[in-house]
Amino acid sequence: MLTDKTILLIIGGGIAAFRSLELMRRLRERGARVTPVLTPAAEQFVTPLSVSALAASKVYRDLFDLTDEAEMGHIELSRASDLVLVCPATANLMARMAQGQADDLATTLLLATDTPVMIVPAMNVRMWEHPATQRNLATLRGDGIKVVGPVDGAMACGEFGPGRLSEVPDILAAVEAHFADGPLKGRHILVTSGPTHEPIDPVRYIANRSSGAQGTAVAAALRDLGARVTFVTGPAEVPPPEGVEVVAVETAGQMRDAVEAALPADAAVMAAAVADWRVANASGSKMKKDGSGNAPALEFAENPDILAMVSQGDRRPHLVVGFAAETDDVTAHATAKRARKGCDWIVANDVSPDTGIMGGQENAVTLITAEGAEDWPRLSKAETARRLAERIAEALA
Ligand code: C5P
């Protein structure tokens, strides 16, 4: 997704500087070129040699390095990139940026650039919360600088709280989202995915065979078309895509709450295999065999129908897409389901065991809309997702 993008990476002098090494690798894996700049303080934490090796680039360090000026002046260096990324952005660097100082190469580049700037702050929690830093943060935001994190967590100094550098996948997601440009740019789409787990007792649960593969592929395809995706997922086998906001849940009840919290959205794609029933008499402690040979009797209660709730609610997205896994008479059942739930489209598939679709890599779906039923060929789940995302983009256009 970052093919041919040049990222000027300014590494500030903080304990989190070592994480910029991993970040450079991941940026390059995605096709970006990385031009690294080290502040003098950063050299106390990472060596120019390791930075250069991981960036596969010359490292720029000194404002007065005449060779650099001959090769590429600092003005040009600052402008020949698509994004200036400051990671980690220390309290000191943020203060100098907010002031407009230009007392080293990093700050001179930041002052000379007309390229978008994104900072990833990391510092001790007291420094982060200090009114001076918060003032600088507000100034930088006002100057149009994008800010990623920081997040809450344990700090290298032993304290706990906001100030931790965002995780590398989240930084990447922010960078990718910055460049994302497609027909769904500016749209918010909610995707549910995966199974739900309904507890029987603290250690046992009822689940289903959904792997989350199709929902994950749909979320990734929507992201690739530029959408901002909220991905509400049950305990799936496949990891969630990067570059989407992940809300991990376990039960149908939690999924409903997460979906309500994620609205409003321009579209909702409900690919989760939500359990129809939960155990009404779930036990708060582990159930034990009592030696009598009697098995416990489970009682079930119906779960909320999240798709119907979203389709019929007052914050209904413009387009609501449901999924229907059927084992027989797919089109007829799915067409009836579309009417019953009140959604716009149903993506129906045959999950009879002999199709190998549930938990597999491929899918063969029928798209049910107000106009009728369309049979799609058997495709990879990724390709099915791409087609669906394109249809969603057309419908929202
Ligand atoms: O009713 P059925 O489970 O066959 O319908 C499948 C569709 O309904 C899927 O889109 C699924 O995400 C959604 N669903 C739901 N809440 C439920 C059951 C299903 O949102 N409790």
Side-chain angles (χ1 to χ4, degrees), residues 192 252 255 269-276 303-308 321-326 337 340-341 346:
T192 69
M255 186 170 279
V269 183
M270 317 291 269
V274 185
D276 287 321
N303 270 331
D305 191 314
I306 306 168
L307 175 60
V321 183
F323 274 65
E326 307 284 352
K337 188 167 289 175
R340 197 167 61 242
K341 304 245 187 184
I346 286 271

Side-chain angles (χ1 to χ4, degrees), residues 219-343:
L222 292 165
R223 171 205 65 196
D224 288 347
L225 295 186
R228 175 168 75 85
V229 177
T230 303
F231 184 66
V232 179
T233 176
E237 271 169 42
V238 298
E242 280 169 10
V244 304
E245 191 188 328
V246 179
V247 186
V249 300
E250 247 176 55
T251 65
Q254 291 166 356
M255 186 170 279
R256 177 207 43 213
D257 294 346
V259 162
E260 273 182 351
L263 293 175
D266 295 293
V269 183
M270 317 291 269
V274 185
D276 287 321
W277 301 282
R278 65 182 175 280
V279 179
N281 59 342
S283 166
S285 51
K286 188 184 168 196
M287 292 176 168
K288 298 253 188 315
K289 280 188 283 195
D290 64 5
S292 69
N294 292 331
L298 298 181
E299 286 166 26
F300 290 93
E302 201 168 291
N303 270 331
D305 191 314
I306 306 168
L307 175 60
M309 178 194 93
V310 169
S311 300
Q312 295 161 30
D314 50 7
R315 290 187 297 164
R316 187 191 200 279
H318 181 71
L319 180 72
V320 182
V321 183
F323 274 65
E326 307 284 352
T327 52
D328 56 283
D329 229 346
V330 175
T331 301
H333 282 133
T335 303
K337 188 167 289 175
R338 175 181 171 276
R340 197 167 61 242
K341 304 245 187 184
C343 57

Side-chain angles (χ1 to χ4, degrees), residues 31 43 50 69 80 83 85 95 128 149 213-214 227 256 302 311-312 316 323 358 374 377:
E43 290 189 32
S50 49
E69 288 296 330
L83 177 70
L85 182 62
W128 175 252
Q214 187 63 79
R256 177 207 43 213
E302 201 168 291
S311 300
Q312 295 161 30
R316 187 191 200 279
F323 274 65
M358 201 116 179
E374 259 174 56

Side-chain angles (χ1 to χ4, degrees), residues 374-388:
E374 259 174 56
D375 287 324
W376 289 7
R378 193 171 171 123
L379 299 164
S380 70
K381 287 185 175 174
E383 187 54 35
T384 304
R386 271 193 289 276
R387 285 196 181 202
L388 183 64

